Amino acid sequence: MSIRVEHLTHIYNKGLAYETKAVDDVGFTVEDGEFIGIIGHTGSGKSTLIQHLNGILKPESGRIFVGDVEITAKNIKMNQIRKRVGLVFQYPEYQLFEATVRSDVAFGPGNLGLPEDEIEDRVREALRLVGLDFSTYADRSPFELSGGQKRRVAIAGVIAMRPEVLILDEPTAGLDPKAHGDILRMVRSVRDRTSGIVILVSHNMSDVAEMADRVFVMDRGRLVRAAAPAEVFAEADFLRSIGLDVPPATRMANTLMGEGFAPDRTILTLGEMADFLAGRLGGRA
Ligand SMILES: Nc1ncnc2c1ncn2[C@@H]1O[C@H](COP(=O)(O)OP(=O)(O)OP(=O)(O)O)[C@@H](O)[C@H]1O
Ligand SMILES: [Mg+2]
């Protein structure tokens, strides 16, 4: 299954003095199994863009195809889209509302009209995938959990729908390093298990560099780059000009380059930097 977006434009408050063109003539295709990272300065249109991919927002103009279904078509049923495209909002923990973790995660699958035992299986699987022990958490109130745990519950609710496309909007924002690492590992394991499309919006350049097959760069509503991480992060000056930066390892490599240590490819991660330095310094003692 693939996603195809054609000439997508979204305008907030159209016709008013303060109207905003939040997405401006954006087009791309995402192939089955691809992991896409979306980066862009605050207000560049990332959240607006991805909310079109599961039909929450309707565009001013343009079309979106998920597989061979045009989800921007007039008579489309929202349930058909939600089953295939799961979206985890920015700060999803504010959207928990059920009395127990179990019923919160079961809400989406329940709406699909699945039998009870199937729902139970999905709730167990989703909680396991987000790293919450079923017997410890299933019957607790989500409101008694920590911020990071709440977020896992919210993500589990989307995973339990078993979507073919999983979209996460800043899933690690505001989390401590451990919770941050846990959520990223969880995203990886979901991806490895489902082999579907994952789209991750992030302000963390290292995460995107490490995980994405391709990086989409947004600037003032426009999609200005869509390429492999090594290609996108090779353009440090361009990224800086639109309020972004390269990952720390790449920045360090660029500084070393100024000192005459030129790596032969774009270094994206600290692991790659370590390998490069070990090679230059003559390997292990
Ligand atoms: N509900 C709304 N009503 C009016 N304008 C909005 C609304 N949501 C977003 N905007 C405007 O649309 C533009 C794009 O916002 P959006 O939230 O998509 O950006 P973003 O890239 O997700 O930013 P961030 O990194 O801060 O999450 C901004 O100018 C924003 O002020
Ligand atoms: Mg956003």
Side-chain angles (χ1 to χ4, degrees):
M1 211 204 36
S2 61
I3 298 177
R4 195 165 89 244
V5 171
E6 296 175 349
H7 300 291
L8 193 77
T9 294
H10 187 88
I11 301 173
Y12 287 110
N13 302 312
K14 190 174 170 61
L16 300 179
Y18 48 95
E19 76 170 33
T20 310
K21 200 184 263 186
V23 173
D24 186 2
D25 195 22
V26 165
F28 57 81
T29 302
V30 179
E31 301 298 343
D32 201 14
E34 262 196 304
F35 193 124
I36 302 293
I38 303 185
I39 60 175
H41 192 262
T42 179
S44 59
K46 305 179 296 296
S47 295
T48 305
L49 171 64
I50 59 170
Q51 285 175 62
H52 284 82
L53 302 181
N54 84 335
I56 288 181
L57 290 180
K58 296 287 175 209
E60 173 66 23
S61 55
R63 305 205 295 171
I64 300 171
F65 296 85
V66 174
D68 48 13
V69 178
E70 187 192 342
I71 68 165
T72 37
K74 282 218 161 48
N75 52 359
I76 197 82
K77 296 233 174 18
M78 288 309 279
N79 241 356
Q80 273 174 283
I81 309 175
R82 297 278 159 79
K83 215 158 59 176
R84 307 184 78 174
V85 182
L87 171 63
V88 179
F89 283 93
Q90 241 169 326
Y91 299 103
E93 56 273 28
Y94 295 120
Q95 289 169 23
L96 301 172
F97 56 92
E98 294 278 335
T100 63
V101 166
R102 177 204 299 266
S103 49
D104 220 300
V105 178
F107 182 79
N111 270 351
L112 296 178
L114 299 169
E116 282 304 320
D117 53 344
E118 162 91 31
I119 294 175
E120 170 89 9
D121 283 352
R122 287 187 177 209
V123 171
R124 284 178 182 274
E125 181 196 56
L127 286 176
R128 184 167 47 73
L129 278 166
V130 299
L132 290 177
D133 179 61
F134 182 85
S135 56
T136 312
Y137 291 101
D139 296 310
R140 288 182 62 179
S141 161
F143 304 102
E144 293 166 2
L145 304 177
S146 74
Q149 290 167 334
K150 279 184 193 157
R151 194 166 305 177
R152 289 170 200 229
V153 173
I155 295 173
V158 172
I159 291 175
M161 303 281 279
R162 295 204 185 138
E164 294 159 84
V165 181
L166 176 62
I167 307 173
L168 302 123
D169 196 351
E170 287 277 358
T172 58
L175 297 181
D176 68 32
K178 163 139 192 346
H180 180 122
D182 286 348
I183 296 277
L184 288 189
R185 265 189 297 283
M186 182 275 299
V187 172
R188 266 203 201 99
S189 72
V190 169
R191 200 252 184 144
D192 293 345
R193 194 183 51 87
T194 60
S195 74
I197 290 172
V198 176
I199 300 178
L200 173 73
V201 175
S202 180
H203 283 283
N204 187 312
M205 301 300 136
S206 297
D207 292 348
V208 169
E210 209 163 307
M211 296 178 74
D213 299 314
R214 276 194 300 154
V215 181
F216 289 2
V217 185
M218 296 285 295
D219 177 38
R220 287 167 292 168
R222 300 191 73 102
L223 179 62
V224 292
R225 292 289 187 280
E231 205 175 310
V232 167
F233 291 119
E235 290 192 85
D237 292 339
F238 168 70
L239 291 174
R240 216 163 292 128
S241 76
I242 58 168
L244 296 173
D245 206 345
V246 296
T250 312
R251 206 159 53 231
M252 189 175 168
N254 292 347
T255 306
L256 286 176
M257 221 178 294
E259 306 284 328
F261 286 88
D264 56 2
R265 62 195 163 90
T266 308
I267 286 184
L268 297 172
T269 66
L270 290 173
E272 290 171 8
M273 174 53 83
D275 289 346
F276 168 68
L277 288 178
R280 275 308 175 98
L281 300 175
R284 290 171 185 79

